[in-house]
């Protein structure tokens, strides 16, 4: 891959085949429905350690069949309780190390591993690719994406570049994911108890399964001041216009537990971790963004981990937009620098090449999500650390439809946030409706059913079932995961690789002249983001006692180098005894030091 | 207000207790005045002569001790001279003064630890308020975090010494500090007060989250906001200071600007800032600077206070070093002290007033109430309300069963909006400065029952109306 010019090396071929193979493996038994509490993990005997480092040539199908996922994917998404089995599976590789990252506000473990090819440099000193799943607290498919990438990469360790390290945190918001997994509530908020409605009580009015159908859906309340009316497709709502009736309020299914006239306005849960990072942190989102940035232990642990490493790439697998999104969670505040836009456009192309998706644009976070997404990990890691950061929506309305699926209407206006169809229903809702009708036969949306609520004139319950729009039905999950591993490997193989190229070293008596420049042998740029000083390439001359520098700088800031790029030439004039040995060292925020020894 | 402030200044200058009218109640509220009269303590006595404070080296201040074991100062005894506060003080010297005040005036002053600085030093705050009133009260925060060029800490300490001493001899100060609290945090960034401060890579005033940009964009702001322990401590302390409506700080003199792009300022709050600024005007003193004129590029403590917590921040313009060198510290401290006192009297404060009680049936009663904000500040800022930071004024009823409610828009208007659909707790919403709400409660209760109606909010404290059903 590269940023502004040159060729990107894609790892297709066997990896593409492997990705398809993983998809096939993950396919659930036909007829199984997701949802509800998953059954206990089947006790698997610990697999025998593999002998030698032969996986590169081993048939992937056989290896993976010998080590199935800990949980039968037909019965549910993997979660924290699957760690032991996953670790047993991954732990066959000596390359995997478990990370101690602490716990969430709710006391759940923030589970993470790091791994990388065997190499001369410790993992902690390498350029690091972070794989973060489900930080939004709802995207179980994002977590599954991280798990599948880990498994696929570890299945072929010989393919891993030895200069890269991977840090993977599949369930980055364990509290939010746990609640979402249990009953699809909480909007991904963690277990911080908050007083959302300012009545002095915490978490006292949350959703309830009023009709006892095992699901918590949406609820319509007839209200003359409500903002919604039923659309021409009676399943969906549209914004009410003047004079229209009947009007509705929309809430989650549940009673007015605290009898304050409002429904489910203070349910369990507090902070959405992906609004708890500093860049673009919005004071006014209330409890969802936290009292201050990094107030939550798991968000803080993540930030500390990123700060401690050579953070080159951050991929957050989450969201149901199905796209690769660049930094920019606030519509009014531009985060992405114009000079980095070509890099992200190329990333989208490569992502589509691996995943088989069609993505006609390179949206920012807020564009992809059709809403502001402030205080995100992606924005902070790009703007503050200079990392190549992105969000990948593992699931979306067009993922199952394929390249030319039935939901192209969604993109007719470029997916703009203000888009509403003539019928009034939001465009994105229509896209999901088409997915539902054209690929699922309409199964997955429960029509609105009346229910009697105390003190309320009319109410209805209905809406999208769990495992439709927020996360894919399990039978579609393999399709959603397709190509993620190959994309990640491609990124790892194309990380910048800095070297000092010695152009001249000559001596006249005791006077020596050195001329050198820096080359980026990788196809990704040496860095991105606004941190020109802190993340740029630095060239350093290390001299030994007895050597004096007469002209030139001991340390020079080179700036960012494009993929396959070369810096200007730098010169040094030295007084050095014969046989002196000097070092020219180049490094950047992403790239560990590369030393070129010069004997004069 | 201007006249009152001038009178306060004169009062302080004379260091004598004088009988003054309490801050005027809004809209000439007769019942309010009566209530205040009942709360007033005996008429003021002639002030004891205050000794000239003898300058003492800081090391001879009252030794630090825990609040509990400090000897209680005798009530009504002549105010002891306090150690001189000399500009500039180091952070340990500031702490020593704070400990000294807490030890010398345990009836009104209590020391609190805000947090710990990166050099291990404790960051201290002093809470001034009648210790025998443990309930939540409206709170005013006076703080500084700047280096030795600022005389904010020294002035804050002078004010603290004076107020703590006055509490024991001046009924007016005692009344103010019974209804409200003053929290003084003079050195939130202790390292900045070092005689030769080391240039830190991350600066305190750029490390707060509201409007923050990473140091890749704005040097000195850090790679994460709140990376400084001092900033984290300040934010945490502020978040827990639930009753804090106004924050007073210090700013260098200079041209004013506008806040960073993206900062919000609802029109209602702009009006409150203007009203507050006008009420704190003082003859001969430079006007105070509201937060939005400080021209912050984002990332400051003041930005966080208003944007995230909805607290109204204002700054005292600092005198120049030449003015300070010419002995202007005392005059400046007097003006700051007068404005602090004035500001305490402007804080929102809720009161419940009974306007009528009628027996409808043998066990059914009609109780008419007025909920009044007697301060000039609202019970919550528009921004805080919009962001859900603080709650409305809430009413709680004990001793009788609530059957129905009604309200009326103004005094003299008929009660309307009768509702049997009663939900607890009752909300009186947000009350602007001086605003009242009228509420009629239909109660079920036996004769002789003790009924309590409590109204309160985070900013405005609480008030309880107690009555016995006849």
């Amino acid at each position: 891959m590269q940023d502004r010019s040159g060729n990107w090396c894609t790892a297709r071929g066997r990896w593409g085949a492997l990705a398809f193979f993983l998809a096939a493996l993950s396919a659930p038994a036909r007829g199984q429905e997701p949802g509800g509490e998953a059954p206990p993990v089947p006790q698997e005997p610990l697999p025998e350690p593999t002998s030698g480092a032969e996986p590169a040539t081993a048939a992937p199908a056989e290896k993976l069949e010998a080590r199935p996922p800990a949980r039968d994917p037909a019965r549910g998404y993997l979660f924290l309780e699957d760690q032991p089995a996953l670790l047993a599976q991954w732990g066959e590789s000596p390359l995997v190390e478990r990370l101690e990252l602490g716990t969430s506000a709710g006391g759940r473990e923030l589970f993470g591993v790091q791994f990388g090819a065997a190499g001369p440099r410790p993992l902690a000193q390498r350029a690091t690719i972070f794989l973060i799943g489900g930080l939004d607290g709802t995207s179980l498919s994002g977590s599954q994406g991280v798990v599948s990438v880990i498994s696929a990469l570890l299945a072929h360790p010989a393919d891993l570049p030895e200069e890269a390290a991977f840090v993977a945190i599949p369930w980055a918001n364990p509290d939010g994911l746990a609640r979402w997994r249990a009953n699809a509530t909480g909007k991904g908020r963690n277990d911080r108890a908050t007083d959302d409605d300012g009545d002095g009580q915490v978490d006292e009015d949350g959703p309830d399964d009023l009709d006892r159908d095992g699901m918590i859906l949406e609820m319509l309340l007839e209200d003359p001041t409500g903002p919604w009316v039923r659309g021409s497709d009676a399943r969906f709502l549209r914004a009410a216009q003047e004079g229209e009736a009947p009007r509705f309020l929309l809430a989650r299914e549940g009673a007015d537990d605290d009898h304050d006239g409002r429904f489910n306005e203070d349910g369990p849960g507090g902070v959405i971790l992906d609004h708890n990072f500093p860049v673009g942190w919005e004071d006014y989102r209330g409890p969802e963004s936290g009292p201050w940035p990094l107030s939550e232990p798991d968000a803080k642990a993540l930030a500390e981990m990123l700060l401690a490493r050579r953070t080159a790439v951050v991929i957050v697998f989450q969201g149901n937009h199905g796209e690769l999104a660049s930094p920019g969670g606030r519509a009014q505040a531009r985060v992405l620098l114009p000079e980095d836009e070509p890099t992200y456009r190329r990333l989208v192309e490569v992502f589509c090449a691996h995943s088989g998706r069609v993505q006609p644009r390179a949206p920012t976070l807020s564009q992809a999500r059709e809403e502001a997404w402030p205080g995100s990990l992606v924005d902070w890691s790009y703007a503050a650390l200079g990392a190549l950061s992105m969000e990948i929506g593992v699931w979306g309305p067009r993922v199952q439809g394929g390249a030319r699926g039935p939901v192209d209407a969604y993109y007719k206006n470029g997916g703009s946030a203000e888009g509403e169809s003539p019928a009034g229903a939001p465009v994105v809702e229509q896209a999901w409706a088409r997915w539902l009708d054209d690929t699922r036969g309409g199964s997955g949306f429960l029509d609105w059913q009346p229910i009697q609520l105390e003190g309320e004139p009319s109410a209805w319950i209905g809406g999208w079932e769990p495992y439709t729009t927020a996360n894919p039905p399990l039978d579609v999950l393999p399709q959603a995961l397709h190509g993620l591993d190959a994309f990640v490997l491609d990124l790892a193989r194309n990380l910048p690789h800095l070297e000092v190229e010695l152009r001249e070293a000559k001596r006249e008596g005791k006077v020596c002249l050195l001329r050198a420049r820096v080359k980026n042998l990788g196809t990704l740029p040496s860095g991105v983001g606004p941190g020109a000083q802190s993340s740029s390439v630095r060239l350093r001359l290390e001299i030994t006692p007895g050597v004096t520098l007469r002209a030139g700088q001991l340390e020079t800031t080179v700036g960012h180098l494009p993929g396959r790029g070369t810096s200007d030439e730098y010169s040094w004039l030295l007084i050095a005894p014969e046989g002196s040995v000097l070092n020219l060292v180049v490094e950047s925020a992403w790239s560990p030091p590369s030393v070129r020894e010069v004997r004069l | 207000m201007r006249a009152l402030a001038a009178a306060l200044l004169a009062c302080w200058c004379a260091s004598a207790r004088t009988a003054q009218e309490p801050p005027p109640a809004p809209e000439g509220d007769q019942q309010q005045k009566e209530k205040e009269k009942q709360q007033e303590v005996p008429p003021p006595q002639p002030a004891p002569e205050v000794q000239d404070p003898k300058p003492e080296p800081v090391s001879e201040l009252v030794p630090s001790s825990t609040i509990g074991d400090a000897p209680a100062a005798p009530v009504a005894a002549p105010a002891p001279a306090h150690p001189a506060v000399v500009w500039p003080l180091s952070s340990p010297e500031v702490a020593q003064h704070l400990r000294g005040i807490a030890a010398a005036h345990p009836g009104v002053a209590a020391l609190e630890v805000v947090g710990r600085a990166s050099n291990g030093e404790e960051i201290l705050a002093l809470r001034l308020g009648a210790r025998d009133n443990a309930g939540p009260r409206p709170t005013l925060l006076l703080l500084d975090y700047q280096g030795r060029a600022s005389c904010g800490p020294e002035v804050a300490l002078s004010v603290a010494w004076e107020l703590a001493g006055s509490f024991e001899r001046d009924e007016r100060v005692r009344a103010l500090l019974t209804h409200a609290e003053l929290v003084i945090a003079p050195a939130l960034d202790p390292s900045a007060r070092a005689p030769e401060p080391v240039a830190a890579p991350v600066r305190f005033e750029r490390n707060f989250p509201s409007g923050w940009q990473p140091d890749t964009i704005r040097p000195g702001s850090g790679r994460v906001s709140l990376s400084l322990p001092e900033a984290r401590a300040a934010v945490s302390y502020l978040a827990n200071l639930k009753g804090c409506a106004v924050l007073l700080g210090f700013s260098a003199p200079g041209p004013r600007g506008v806040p960073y792009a993206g900062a919000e300022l609802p029109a209602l709050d702009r009006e409150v800032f203007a009203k507050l600024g006008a009420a704190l005007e003082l003859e001969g003193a430079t006007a105070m600077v509201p937060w939005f004129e400080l021209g912050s590029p984002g990332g400051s403590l003041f930005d966080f206070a208003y944007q995230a917590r909805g607290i109204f921040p204002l700054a005292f313009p600092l005198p120049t070093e030449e003015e300070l060198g010419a002995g202007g510290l005392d005059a400046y401290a007097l003006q700051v002290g007068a404005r602090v006192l004035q500001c305490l009297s402007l804080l929102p404060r809720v009161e419940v007033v009974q306007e009528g009680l009628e027996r409808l049936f043998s066990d059914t009663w009609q109780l008419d109430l007025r909920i009044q904000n007697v301060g000039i500040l609202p019970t919550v800022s528009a921004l805080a309300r919009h962001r859900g930071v603080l709650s409305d004024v809430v009413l709680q009823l004990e001793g009788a069963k609530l059957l129905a409610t009604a309200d009326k828009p103004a005094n003299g208007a008929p009660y309307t909006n009768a509702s049997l659909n009663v939900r607890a707790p009752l909300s009186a919403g947000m009350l602007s400065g001086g605003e009242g709400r009228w509420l009629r409660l239909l109660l079920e209760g036996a004769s002789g029952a003790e009924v309590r109606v409590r109204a309160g909010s985070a900013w405005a404290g609480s008030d309880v109306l107690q009555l016995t059903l006849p």
Side-chain angles (χ1 to χ4, degrees):
Chain A
M1 291 187 282
Q2 59 93 50
D3 66 332
R4 298 173 176 91
S5 62
N7 300 314
W8 286 52
C9 309
T10 56
R12 302 185 76 172
R14 188 167 61 75
W15 276 92
L18 173 62
F20 275 115
F21 187 77
L22 281 172
L25 258 190
S26 305
R30 197 170 288 276
Q32 286 280 8
E33 288 297 327
E37 196 59 32
V41 185
Q43 291 299 313
E44 294 286 339
L46 285 180
E48 292 295 319
T50 52
S51 57
E54 38 64 55
T57 54
E62 289 167 11
K63 287 195 71 61
L64 287 166
E65 265 184 3
R67 288 175 292 169
R71 178 185 294 269
D72 177 356
R75 296 188 184 176
Y77 282 81
L78 297 169
F79 199 54
L80 284 170
E81 63 268 23
D82 298 305
Q83 284 177 46
L86 285 171
L87 281 170
Q89 174 191 331
W90 300 335
E92 290 174 33
S93 163
L95 310 174
V96 179
E97 298 171 15
R98 187 170 181 174
L99 297 167
E100 295 293 332
L101 297 171
T103 56
S104 66
R108 293 182 178 85
E109 183 188 356
L110 185 60
F111 169 72
V113 294
Q114 64 172 343
F115 59 95
R121 211 181 291 276
L123 291 176
Q125 293 176 15
R126 302 183 193 180
T128 304
I129 296 175
F130 279 85
L131 309 170
I132 310 292
L135 188 60
D136 62 1
T138 59
S139 297
L140 292 162
S141 56
S143 303
Q144 204 81 11
V146 174
V147 170
S148 76
V149 170
I150 302 170
S151 298
L153 295 183
L154 287 175
H156 302 279
D159 289 346
L160 301 178
E162 66 174 29
E163 284 298 314
F166 299 85
V167 170
I169 303 171
W171 300 284
N173 182 348
D175 293 351
L177 290 168
R179 188 175 296 107
W180 191 262
R181 183 167 174 257
N183 55 20
T185 63
K187 297 198 305 183
R189 295 162 64 156
N190 72 357
D191 281 1
R192 172 83 56 210
T194 53
D195 177 11
D196 298 349
D197 53 355
D199 65 354
Q201 304 177 70
V202 294
D203 300 349
E204 80 285 359
D205 189 0
D208 312 285
D209 181 11
L210 292 177
D211 55 3
R212 301 180 186 280
D213 63 353
M215 293 182 286
I216 292 176
L217 303 178
E218 304 291 329
M219 186 166 70
L220 283 181
L221 298 157
E222 191 170 339
D223 187 309
T225 64
W228 301 105
V229 294
R230 303 283 280 269
S232 53
D233 181 339
R235 292 176 298 183
F236 304 116
L237 305 175
R238 64 174 173 81
Q241 294 174 0
E242 198 174 337
E244 285 189 308
R247 293 182 176 223
F248 302 96
L249 297 171
L250 182 64
R252 292 293 279 176
E253 177 183 348
D256 176 15
D257 299 316
D258 57 355
H259 307 292
D260 66 350
R262 292 178 288 175
F263 289 82
N264 313 312
E265 80 287 353
D266 191 357
V271 181
I272 295 176
L273 295 187
D274 206 26
H275 294 325
N276 195 228
F277 289 85
V279 169
W281 177 77
E282 287 191 350
D283 328 272
Y284 56 84
R285 282 185 82 98
E288 285 185 2
S289 55
W292 51 79
L294 305 183
S295 59
E296 304 311 294
D298 20 17
K300 190 162 180 280
L302 270 176
E304 283 172 351
M305 174 61 87
L306 265 70
L307 284 166
R309 306 293 288 247
R310 292 186 179 276
T311 300
V313 177
V314 176
I315 309 177
V316 183
F317 294 90
Q318 63 182 18
N320 62 351
H321 47 77
E323 296 182 307
L324 185 152
S326 64
R330 297 176 74 178
Q332 280 79 31
R334 185 191 181 100
V335 176
L336 189 65
L337 296 180
E339 56 264 41
D340 291 333
E341 285 178 355
T343 302
Y344 277 91
R345 280 201 294 273
R346 187 70 186 122
L347 277 178
V348 168
E349 290 172 19
V350 176
F351 172 66
C352 290
H354 286 300
S355 64
R357 302 184 190 191
V358 173
Q359 184 177 327
R361 57 179 190 165
T364 62
L365 273 181
S366 60
Q367 289 168 341
R369 288 180 163 270
E370 306 250 337
E371 63 171 340
W373 195 254
S376 69
L377 173 61
V378 166
D379 280 1
W380 172 70
S381 55
Y382 169 80
L385 306 183
L388 187 65
S389 304
M390 68 203 84
E391 176 175 285
I392 290 180
V394 172
W395 180 227
R398 68 191 315 213
V399 170
Q400 190 177 7
R404 300 196 196 291
V407 292
D408 285 348
Y410 175 39
Y411 295 101
K412 275 182 181 166
N413 64 356
S416 71
E418 64 272 12
E420 277 200 353
S421 73
V427 173
V428 69
E429 188 111 54
Q430 288 185 65
W432 281 114
R434 291 187 186 199
W435 165 78
L436 185 77
D437 294 339
D438 295 351
T439 66
R440 313 294 296 177
S443 173
F445 190 99
L446 287 185
D447 288 338
W448 300 99
Q449 301 294 327
I451 187 163
Q452 195 64 42
L453 281 180
E454 188 181 322
E456 293 297 326
S458 303
W460 293 263
I461 291 173
W464 294 98
E465 292 178 17
Y467 300 97
T468 50
T469 56
N471 289 287
L474 277 160
D475 61 303
V476 191
L477 186 57
Q479 210 170 330
L481 303 181
H482 170 66
L484 300 182
D485 51 351
F487 175 66
V488 171
L489 185 67
D490 209 349
L491 278 174
R493 286 175 160 174
N494 288 284
L495 285 173
H497 182 82
L498 302 178
E499 271 191 10
V500 176
E501 184 186 25
L502 190 62
R503 304 284 288 169
E504 187 176 12
K506 69 177 182 183
R507 164 184 292 279
E508 285 183 19
K510 283 190 172 180
V511 180
C512 301
L513 176 70
L514 285 184
R515 290 192 303 118
R517 62 185 186 179
V518 179
K519 293 181 81 171
N520 176 8
L521 304 179
T523 47
L524 280 170
S526 64
V528 293
Q533 284 298 316
S534 57
S535 65
S536 63
V537 176
R538 294 182 304 280
L539 178 61
R540 190 170 68 246
L541 174 67
E542 293 177 348
I543 56 176
T544 48
V547 177
T548 53
L549 179 68
R550 286 301 171 93
Q553 302 288 324
L554 281 180
E555 181 153 337
T556 307
T557 299
V558 175
H560 286 318
L561 292 179
R564 307 282 185 208
T566 306
S567 75
D568 293 338
E569 201 168 87
Y570 299 91
S571 303
W572 298 266
L573 198 62
L574 303 144
I575 306 295
E578 212 159 311
S580 300
V581 178
L582 309 175
N583 285 332
L584 280 166
V585 184
V586 62
E587 66 178 313
S588 74
W590 292 7
S591 305
S594 166
V595 181
R596 174 74 159 86
E597 191 180 273
V598 183
R599 192 170 292 273
L600 295 169
Chain B
M1 289 299 176
R2 201 183 176 95
L4 176 62
L8 279 168
L9 181 58
C11 158
W12 197 334
C13 288
S15 294
R17 183 167 50 184
T18 55
Q20 290 189 32
E21 289 296 318
E27 299 173 9
D29 180 346
Q30 200 56 41
Q31 291 211 7
Q32 158 66 15
K33 283 177 183 167
E34 284 173 13
K35 192 162 184 173
E36 282 185 356
K37 273 185 189 170
Q38 288 168 5
Q39 290 167 341
E40 275 180 9
V41 284
Q45 300 298 311
E49 197 174 321
V50 177
Q51 297 168 2
D52 286 329
K54 292 175 184 169
E56 290 176 24
V58 171
S59 57
E60 290 179 30
L61 284 170
V62 179
S64 62
S65 62
T66 59
I67 297 162
D69 61 17
V75 177
H82 64 72
V85 181
V86 183
W87 170 77
L89 293 174
S90 69
S91 169
E93 289 166 340
V94 169
Q96 212 164 2
H97 269 286
L98 291 173
R99 290 194 171 94
I101 298 167
H105 304 284
V108 66
L111 208 56
E112 286 185 340
V113 177
V114 174
R116 204 168 275 279
S118 42
N119 63 4
E121 237 179 287
E122 272 186 339
I123 305 167
L124 297 178
L126 190 75
R127 203 179 268 266
L128 290 176
R131 294 295 101 200
D132 50 2
N133 178 4
R137 279 171 283 180
T139 303
L140 171 64
L141 177 60
L142 175 65
L143 62 80
D144 198 18
Y145 55 81
Q146 301 174 82
R148 295 165 76 89
S150 167
C151 63
E154 292 76 9
V155 167
L157 289 170
S158 292
V159 170
W161 275 114
E162 287 294 344
L163 281 185
S166 301
F167 178 82
E168 286 148 12
R169 63 176 189 270
D170 187 324
E171 298 309 332
R172 192 178 175 286
V173 172
R174 187 194 294 268
L176 277 175
L177 290 179
T178 300
H179 290 308
E181 274 193 316
L182 172 64
V183 175
I184 293 180
L188 284 173
D189 183 15
S191 56
R193 303 295 300 180
E196 290 178 3
V198 181
V202 181
R203 291 165 56 181
F204 179 87
E205 72 275 18
R206 294 186 180 185
N207 195 228
F208 289 84
S210 298
W212 178 86
Q213 299 269 28
D215 60 7
T216 51
I217 297 170
R218 187 180 304 144
S221 55
R223 294 210 288 175
V224 293
S225 60
L226 303 179
S227 57
L228 293 175
E230 294 86 349
R232 284 200 300 276
V235 155
S236 176
Y237 188 72
L238 202 60
N240 288 321
L241 212 56
K242 306 283 187 203
C244 183
V246 179
L247 180 161
L248 301 178
F250 300 86
S251 75
R256 301 306 172 202
V258 294
Y260 60 92
E264 293 199 22
L265 178 59
L268 277 176
D269 284 354
R270 188 182 280 270
E271 285 173 22
V272 173
F273 270 117
K275 202 189 287 186
L276 194 53
L280 294 176
E281 273 186 21
L282 200 60
E283 278 182 21
T286 316
M288 297 196 67
V289 189
W291 158 79
F292 59 89
E293 288 182 7
L294 288 170
S296 167
S300 78
L301 173 57
F302 282 22
D303 295 329
F304 177 80
Y306 180 64
Q307 293 294 314
R309 309 299 309 170
I311 297 168
F312 293 102
L314 290 96
F316 296 99
L318 284 164
T320 61
E321 290 198 29
E322 291 74 31
E323 289 168 332
L324 284 178
L329 186 64
D330 289 346
Y332 185 60
L334 284 172
Q335 103 177 218
V336 169
R339 283 168 150 171
V340 164
L341 278 177
Q342 172 72 342
C343 197
L344 281 168
S345 73
L346 305 173
L347 295 177
R349 185 154 57 87
V350 71
E351 288 192 352
V352 194
V353 180
Q354 178 184 333
E355 294 211 322
L357 178 66
E358 189 180 337
R359 185 175 209 155
L360 301 179
F361 301 104
S362 60
D363 60 349
T364 307
W365 307 82
Q366 178 179 289
L367 174 62
D368 292 343
L369 300 173
R370 181 161 48 82
I371 318 298
Q372 184 82 38
N373 175 10
V374 299
I376 77 153
L377 285 164
T379 54
V380 63
S381 65
L383 191 62
R385 193 163 197 251
H386 173 61
R387 296 178 180 182
V389 176
L390 296 162
S391 58
D392 295 339
V393 176
V394 168
L395 269 71
Q396 289 169 323
L397 172 73
E398 293 172 17
K401 183 183 175 187
L402 184 60
L403 302 175
T405 60
D407 57 44
K408 63 178 183 179
N411 199 10
Y415 278 97
T416 55
N417 294 329
S419 171
L420 290 168
N421 194 10
V422 178
R423 292 176 166 119
L426 291 171
S427 171
M430 164 196 163
L431 298 179
S432 302
E435 188 181 0
R437 295 268 161 81
W438 288 266
L439 192 64
R440 172 167 285 174
L441 307 181
L442 204 62
L443 307 176
E444 184 182 286
S447 283
E450 297 283 339
V451 175
R452 285 165 55 93
V453 180
R454 181 184 180 279
S457 83
W459 275 17
S462 64
D463 190 30
V464 178
L465 173 74
Q466 278 185 288
L467 63 129
T468 305
L469 296 177

